[in-house]
Amino acid sequence: MRKSPIMSDFTIHSHWISASGQEGSLGNQAALFPYWSFTKPVIAVCALQLVEEGFLDLDARISGHPYTLRQLLAHTSGLPDYGQFVEYGAAVVAGDPVWSRQKMLDIVLSKGMLFAPEQGWSYSNVGYMFVRELIEKTTAKPMGQVIAEKVCTPLGLTSVEFAQSEEQFKSLHWPAAADYDPLWVYHGCLMGTASDAAHLLHQLFLGALLQPSSIRKMLNTKILGGPLAGRPWMECGYALGLMAGSVDGLGRAIGHSGAGPFCVNAVYHFPDISDPVTVASFTDGSKEGIAEFEAVRLAKQKYGEG
């Protein structure tokens, strides 16, 4: 395990793979971690595959709702997020039983939509829960099975599971995971190794999961701002299921960070360097910037950029 150069009390586990086939790791590569919001790119990939197959439409309004699938994936639907409500965080910290879907929605939608679709941007886990439910309805299969069939099996990702029980979380690397119910993540939470996280994102950009036209749609980015305090971004934005922006010395960074009560991660592809590389970094704590800076550091160190 490597101590973070930013905060020495944190340990980091990482894996990287380059376009030329170079590969390496730091830390415990057998360890399992929660992927948190790195689950979102995988949900987006499954939705886009169903679009390719003609079962879903990116730009048709979802029946009974004012927003489209594209807007849900891009966080431009106007839906609020349960993370914005103190009641949610307090319930998680207290170890309360997971709220029912209806109780969560009653709280989240108590003040209505944040804005009309496409008239703003606001991160919404609820929106991704609706995408998950749309996928499950369309395929008549649970989300875990869809991900296994469409992503994990084709790529040979043997460690990746869709977490649905506290028992599964007891197998994770961080001891605090044993006291957390993954059903608090309403869109679902994947778990797996750092290596499989890196390979998953890397294979996406090699064209193993989507047609080139779908990848172009997925990468259509809404720029949201410039530098963020405590994080490596020089420019930040969001595409379809992907955080996308730029970092100093590397150019574009595309992937997703994730955070939960006891650990964080950053899984990013850096396409603009001489040997494009994908890095997955996982650490304890609650600051996504720690994992993001480590992913950037490794990309620069291993491939001589910056």
Side-chain angles (χ1 to χ4, degrees):
M1 292 182 294
R2 179 179 180 277
K3 292 290 185 179
S4 163
I6 304 169
M7 297 185 70
S8 60
D9 290 338
F10 291 84
T11 53
I12 295 179
H13 307 260
S14 300
H15 193 91
W16 62 90
I17 179 170
S18 75
S20 65
Q22 297 182 63
E23 195 165 353
S25 62
L26 292 171
N28 184 349
Q29 290 306 295
L32 299 174
F33 306 100
Y35 286 0
W36 301 128
S37 281
F38 182 60
T39 304
K40 288 184 175 70
V42 183
I43 292 173
V45 163
C46 291
L48 288 168
Q49 286 182 353
L50 290 171
V51 171
E52 289 179 349
E53 295 161 9
F55 294 111
L56 292 177
D57 187 322
L58 262 181
D59 295 310
R61 285 190 180 183
I62 295 171
S63 179
H65 300 284
Y67 41 73
T68 66
L69 174 59
R70 187 192 299 271
Q71 290 162 349
L72 290 174
L73 293 173
H75 297 297
T76 59
S77 67
L79 284 165
D81 180 46
Y82 48 75
Q84 300 165 354
F85 290 81
V86 295
E87 300 98 316
Y88 173 82
V92 172
V93 170
D96 291 350
V98 175
W99 294 342
S100 68
R101 175 186 185 278
Q102 191 57 54
K103 178 177 179 178
M104 182 272 289
L105 288 177
D106 286 345
I107 291 172
V108 170
L109 298 177
S110 60
K111 297 181 181 178
M113 302 283 281
L114 297 177
F115 48 81
E118 215 58 46
Q119 298 306 304
W121 187 92
S122 188
Y123 193 84
S124 178
N125 288 294
V126 175
Y128 270 77
M129 181 189 77
F130 289 159
V131 175
R132 170 191 174 174
E133 292 173 350
L134 182 62
I135 291 170
E136 291 178 328
K137 180 179 179 181
T138 301
T139 61
K141 296 176 181 179
M143 194 70 221
Q145 183 178 345
V146 175
I147 291 173
E149 293 176 355
K150 290 185 171 293
V151 178
C152 297
T153 298
L155 298 185
L157 307 177
T158 57
S159 77
V160 179
E161 297 181 16
F162 193 71
Q164 300 178 84
S165 70
E166 293 179 80
E167 193 63 31
Q168 284 173 286
F169 255 43
K170 289 178 181 178
S171 67
L172 298 183
H173 177 73
W174 311 114
D179 298 319
Y180 183 85
D181 190 333
L183 295 183
W184 278 115
V185 184
Y186 287 87
H187 61 58
C189 181
L190 290 171
M191 51 185 275
T193 63
S195 174
D196 275 353
H199 277 272
L200 195 165
L201 189 66
H202 197 71
Q203 289 296 317
L204 170 63
F205 288 105
L206 289 180
L209 294 172
L210 293 172
Q211 298 171 7
S213 60
S214 295
I215 294 176
R216 288 193 295 271
K217 292 174 183 175
M218 196 175 188
L219 290 176
N220 186 16
T221 301
K222 181 180 181 67
I223 298 302
L224 301 170
L228 296 174
R231 300 177 76 166
W233 299 98
M234 298 302 293
E235 181 181 65
C236 57
Y238 206 90
L240 300 187
L242 293 167
M243 296 170 66
S246 62
V247 295
D248 187 33
L250 292 175
R252 288 176 295 164
I254 310 165
H256 219 293
S257 302
F262 50 85
C263 64
V264 297
N265 61 67
V267 188
Y268 284 95
H269 180 67
F270 302 94
D272 294 338
I273 58 180
S274 55
D275 189 8
V277 62
T278 304
V279 185
S281 293
F282 294 77
T283 185
D284 49 334
S286 59
K287 295 183 178 180
E288 292 167 272
I290 302 294
E292 291 174 345
F293 273 113
E294 178 67 0
V296 169
R297 185 194 74 82
L298 283 169
K300 289 181 176 180
Q301 180 189 75
K302 301 300 176 182
Y303 300 99
E305 306 288 332

